[in-house]
Amino acid sequence: PYINADSVWSEGYTGDGQVVAVLDTGVDAAHEFLADPVTGSKVISEACFSTTYAPFSSVSLCADGSTAVGSGANCSGYTGCGHGTHVAGIAAGNGTAFSGVAKDARIIAIQVFSGFHDSEICGSNSCILAYDSDIIRGLERVYSLANDGVYSVASVNLSLGGGGFTSASDCDIENVAVKQAIDNLLSVGVPTVIASGNDGFPDKISTPGCISSAVSVGASSINDGIVSFSNGASWLSLVAPGQSINSSTPNDGYSSWNGTSMATPHVAGAFALLKSKLPSASVGQLFAALVNTGYPLTDSGSGFSTPRIQLGKASDALGLNNLPVNIVLDNDFHGVTVQGTFDRVGNTEGYKGSVLEGVGAGTNSYRFTPTITQSGNYRVLGWWSDAAANANNVVFTIRHDGGDEQVLVNQQLNGSQWNEFGVFYFTAGSSAYVEVSDVNGAVAIADAVRFEFIPVTIDTNVLPGGVTGTQYSYSLSANGGLAPYQWIISSGALADGLSLQSNGSIIGTPTQSGSFDFVVQVTDGLGY
């Protein structure tokens, strides 16, 4: 409730159909908090990447390389082995007293830790640590599952890290292989959400959370401050609750823990929750919704401000609530008899359908009238199914009355499938309708029309680093509108020597080093 996940649940979206990959110490798949009414356990895929290496006195904690059932189970015999189960519960746990963020999402459990028995490494007789190579193998496993379409992976959670960097570009240079694995996941629509670290650094983020293409997460307190142990920097992505977080521990236990490790699965779960509501959303759209609607928290040590996630507002920002079109069937138009109606409003679309009885031979026409409450671009589709199975006997005509009536579409369609007419710009309050003509006077026919609102959105949220004195070029990306796009910088600034072109290209030779935050605005060809 603190981040308003419950307000998204009340709309009927709970993370169902989405999967969060947890690369950690393994997960207790039999925990009651992680039970699933369909699959038995929320843990639907597992893997182990854990290394035995004598020079570092490390031993594998599971069957290295295995993807069998049980391979991602929580480790045992070491302090910290319940960590992954706690993290999984925050992201996707479902209980009677309280639940995780995306309470109906499922889990991919990948155990990436190894046991160490070297006091110089551990500071004591034993500890658990993760090799970069095992983390990379875990990320590659998730990429394979997501790329093959085996699961709808909404996010990867890495509640781990060490050290720290004061710039994202330096971090990228030192962590090329891990960054490549993260970028590969981004290419198939999966963000990697990583803890910023618990060292209290005001200007550093731990590795690998410091990587520019990762979603880094710091910890907020129960009083909406930045917790003193939370690492921060100018490019920290988000903050989320990380103090006294109650969640699952092995063997049906529960415990309250502190850390950016606890904040991170709040965000990983947030991606799953929002994506269950808008499955077609890009990482850029979801990330922008979380950032732009977050409550700004300022770190008193550094002065940096970072948004704390607010899921109710993030959901609203995706344009999913208060659908800007309502479609009404004009029952009295041309005397058509309506036997029954069906409709759906959800995601970014609304449609209205009907089962109608023709009034005899000849053309029978009726209208679906949309009330447009928000100007913008709409994809318009039609569907029909004729009991008489007469092919191509229905004509859809889309009309937009802006003073002079204009026929936008007048065509015959193939039945029993959605037929796309195109994307059109409609002004709020304008008169519009879809007229359906049954040219053969069929005995019974079912029809539906659908309007999908398409907001103009910016896909790009992270830029690749550059080198001073070296030519730089990168193009920003947007979608949802009609070309051409026009770009401007509305606040902030680029490094000296760089400029944003109106077509979205950032070009030039930078003469100034450092990290730069700026806000861009894009306008589509119709001024939206």
Side-chain angles (χ1 to χ4, degrees), residues 50-62 64 114-115 131 134:
S50 181
T51 298
T52 296
Y53 184 60
F56 287 168
S57 300
S58 70
V59 294
S60 177
L61 299 181
C62 49
D64 183 40
S114 302
Y131 287 100
D134 289 335

Side-chain angles (χ1 to χ4, degrees), residues 71-160:
S71 59
N74 58 289
C75 61
S76 60
Y78 294 82
T79 300
C81 275
H83 192 269
T85 303
H86 199 269
V87 165
I90 297 169
N94 195 341
T96 55
F98 66 96
S99 293
V101 178
K103 63 179 183 177
D104 286 331
R106 295 181 173 92
I107 298 292
I108 295 172
I110 300 181
Q111 210 291 98
V112 295
F113 278 78
S114 302
F116 286 75
H117 299 272
D118 187 323
S119 59
E120 292 186 5
I121 294 174
C122 295
S124 60
N125 292 330
S126 65
C127 61
I128 53 173
L129 300 168
Y131 287 100
D132 283 354
S133 55
D134 289 335
I135 294 171
I136 292 169
R137 287 197 292 163
L139 294 171
E140 289 173 342
R141 170 64 178 170
V142 180
Y143 170 80
S144 177
L145 293 173
N147 189 47
D148 292 344
V150 177
Y151 302 111
S152 177
V153 183
S155 59
V156 177
N157 191 99
L158 290 179
S159 288
L160 47 78

Side-chain angles (χ1 to χ4, degrees), residues 208-402:
C210 54
I211 292 172
S212 62
S213 47
V215 178
S216 53
V217 184
S220 63
S221 70
I222 57 176
N223 297 317
D224 245 356
I226 301 294
V227 185
S228 61
F229 59 71
S230 181
N231 292 350
S234 61
W235 75 101
L236 180 67
S237 304
L238 296 161
V239 293
Q243 185 179 37
S244 300
I245 306 302
N246 193 20
S247 185
S248 44
T249 54
N251 302 314
D252 284 341
Y254 295 89
S255 184
S256 292
W257 292 0
N258 303 317
T260 56
S261 283
M262 284 62 257
T264 303
H266 279 85
V267 175
F271 275 100
L273 188 63
L274 295 178
K275 198 167 179 65
S276 73
K277 193 172 185 182
L278 185 58
S280 62
S282 67
V283 174
Q285 285 176 285
L286 298 174
F287 181 77
L290 291 167
V291 170
N292 295 337
T293 65
Y295 182 73
L297 299 183
T298 300
D299 188 330
S300 59
S302 66
F304 295 131
S305 180
T306 309
R308 191 265 293 158
I309 60 172
Q310 300 185 98
L311 292 184
K313 292 185 177 181
S315 174
D316 291 345
L318 289 172
L320 305 182
N321 294 332
N322 303 316
L323 188 75
V325 58
N326 179 47
I327 304 171
V328 178
L329 176 66
D330 196 344
N331 294 342
D332 297 328
F333 185 72
H334 282 201
V336 175
T337 302
V338 179
Q339 296 177 321
T341 61
F342 55 94
D343 65 304
R344 172 176 182 263
V345 174
N347 293 339
T348 54
E349 68 186 46
Y351 67 76
K352 174 79 69 173
S354 61
V355 180
L356 301 121
E357 182 178 340
V359 295
T363 300
N364 301 308
S365 298
Y366 40 95
R367 288 180 178 178
F368 295 96
T369 304
T371 301
I372 304 294
T373 60
Q374 180 173 340
S375 300
N377 296 296
Y378 292 82
R379 180 177 290 108
V380 185
L381 305 95
W383 176 92
W384 67 271
S385 178
D386 177 16
N390 293 324
N392 297 318
N393 69 339
V394 175
V395 176
F396 284 73
T397 302
I398 302 176
R399 297 181 186 270
H400 180 197
D401 191 346

Side-chain angles (χ1 to χ4, degrees), residues 409-495:
V409 175
N410 190 329
Q411 64 185 84
Q412 293 184 331
L413 303 171
N414 294 319
S416 300
Q417 65 184 39
W418 283 110
N419 294 264
E420 181 176 332
F421 302 124
V423 175
F424 307 106
Y425 190 90
F426 290 102
T427 304
S430 65
S431 173
Y433 62 82
V434 178
E435 182 174 318
V436 183
S437 298
D438 168 19
V439 298
N440 291 338
V443 175
I445 187 168
D447 294 275
V449 297
R450 189 166 101 197
F451 278 64
E452 296 179 350
F453 178 60
I454 308 174
V456 177
T457 59
I458 295 173
D459 287 333
T460 310
N461 59 73
V462 175
L463 302 180
V467 178
T468 55
T470 301
Q471 179 70 29
Y472 183 91
S473 177
Y474 193 82
S475 294
L476 303 176
S477 174
N479 67 57
L482 298 179
Y485 294 114
Q486 296 290 320
W487 297 82
I488 62 169
I489 293 179
S490 59
S491 65
L494 294 164

